[in-house]
Amino acid sequence: MNTNKIEIKDLTVNYTENKRSFNALHNVSFGVGSGEFVSVIGASGCGKSTLLSVLEGLYSPAGGSVEIDGKELRGTGTERGVVFQHYSLFPWMTTKKNIEFGIKQARHDVKRSERGRIAEEFLSKVGLTGFGEKYPSQLSGGMQQRAAIARALAMDTQILLMDEPFSAIDAKNRVILQELLLKLWEGSGHEERKTVVFVTHDIDEAILLSDRIVVLTAHPGTVNEIVNVPFERPRRREQLIKTDEYGRFRSRLLSLLYNDVAERIGGDEVVL
């Protein structure tokens, strides 16, 4: 019996640009279990963000299907929360109102007064207590992304889709946000954990956060390999990166990525 929260079957996605047709994804298949954290990595242009757009319900596949809880995905839905690569807060709303808006869309049973309380709770969780009345333009980039994460978590959706949410953040704040996300996800308890699909270019980020990592080939994107992350939770970056096992595992992922690219451009195998 299939127990996956998300089931992607033979997914193929095409798009047209300047009257030319391109194959972005080809026969991609994998499942994501309930409460599982799965990262998707691959070279630029392999279709990672396209895959997430399909899961968001923004793109329709040319072939194959996506199922959530055994039902075929058709369009957007309130069971999915999204954190985009670039800040997606409404500029005319305060930070608190942005979070309340997300709650209102996803949780119709929550009263207005309760939405305010929940918004304040999640602002606190992401370290933004006292910034609820600020507008996005009054916040730094890292603070805006923390607010976007707070909104997605406050929506309390079953599934969280994240498209390189920390890529535009400076190195220090990126580490802080990674650890914050991990803390909030782990701290929710196994039965209540969100099902997360996380797109990233950063191998170290994928290792730190994920239960499994889906490695896509270069364009068009297909599944090269699905790798189980062998490190027990909770994980602490400063301890993990010092181990020999971490170095070997990281090298394996690098080989999967770069040897695929080298083969497609006719280069030599990368030895790591």
Side-chain angles (χ1 to χ4, degrees):
M1 181 177 177
N2 182 16
T3 59
N4 284 329
K5 185 74 173 177
I6 302 171
E7 192 70 39
I8 300 167
K9 301 178 181 178
D10 300 321
L11 184 68
T12 296
V13 179
N14 301 324
Y15 66 93
T16 302
E17 186 176 283
N18 296 326
K19 297 182 179 180
R20 294 182 60 191
S21 181
F22 296 88
N23 183 204
L25 294 169
H26 184 70
N27 288 347
V28 171
S29 297
F30 66 93
V32 183
S34 181
E36 189 177 20
F37 199 123
V38 171
S39 286
V40 180
I41 65 174
S44 295
C46 72
K48 300 186 298 297
S49 292
T50 299
L51 173 62
L52 215 65
S53 293
V54 173
L55 296 180
E56 292 164 17
L58 301 178
Y59 282 4
S60 297
S65 64
V66 175
E67 295 180 356
I68 295 178
D69 290 328
K71 297 180 181 179
E72 188 169 356
L73 175 64
R74 295 186 183 279
T76 58
T78 56
E79 80 283 2
R80 283 159 280 157
V82 184
V83 181
F84 296 97
Q85 181 175 348
H86 301 292
Y87 320 131
S88 56
L89 302 176
F90 297 119
W92 60 88
M93 292 185 184
T94 65
T95 304
K96 183 179 177 181
K97 289 296 184 184
N98 265 281
I99 297 173
E100 289 183 25
F101 179 83
I103 298 169
K104 182 180 179 180
Q105 301 307 303
R107 302 168 66 178
H108 302 297
D109 58 326
V110 177
K111 295 180 180 179
R112 182 175 181 179
S113 59
E114 182 68 1
R115 291 199 298 265
R117 186 198 65 77
I118 294 170
E120 291 286 0
E121 176 188 347
F122 279 89
L123 282 169
S124 175
K125 285 185 176 183
V126 300
L128 290 177
T129 299
F131 289 90
E133 299 308 313
K134 299 289 185 181
Y135 288 88
S137 62
Q138 296 174 300
L139 303 179
S140 68
M143 294 169 76
Q144 289 185 51
Q145 199 66 327
R146 275 188 277 167
I149 291 168
R151 180 175 61 188
L153 293 173
M155 290 169 65
D156 198 27
T157 56
Q158 301 167 22
I159 296 168
L160 190 57
L161 307 173
M162 309 187 79
D163 187 5
E164 299 190 62
F166 311 138
S167 63
I169 307 298
D170 63 88
K172 179 180 178 181
N173 278 311
R174 182 171 185 145
V175 169
I176 291 171
L177 289 171
Q178 289 168 353
E179 293 180 349
L180 171 66
L181 174 63
L182 197 59
K183 180 180 178 181
L184 292 174
W185 180 79
E186 289 179 338
S188 60
H190 181 70
E191 295 301 321
E192 299 178 0
R193 284 178 182 169
K194 309 301 180 189
T195 302
V196 182
V197 181
F198 189 98
V199 165
T200 182
H201 275 100
D202 189 325
I203 287 178
D204 296 293
E205 183 172 73
I207 296 172
L208 177 69
L209 297 175
S210 311
D211 294 311
R212 290 185 298 145
I213 299 172
V214 178
V215 184
L216 295 183
T217 64
H219 178 80
T222 61
V223 175
N224 185 348
E225 191 166 334
I226 300 174
V227 184
N228 292 319
V229 179
F231 309 112
E232 292 184 0
R233 298 186 187 274
R235 298 174 189 151
R236 297 295 173 260
R237 179 194 312 271
E238 62 275 7
Q239 299 172 357
L240 193 60
I241 62 176
K242 295 177 182 179
T243 65
D244 292 338
E245 186 179 8
Y246 181 87
R248 290 191 294 269
F249 185 69
R250 188 177 189 277
S251 293
R252 179 187 173 192
L253 290 175
L254 283 169
S255 294
L256 287 172
L257 281 174
Y258 295 124
N259 285 338
D260 171 67
V261 174
E263 288 174 6
R264 288 172 182 254
I265 64 176
D268 295 327
E269 181 179 357
V270 178
V271 179
L272 296 167

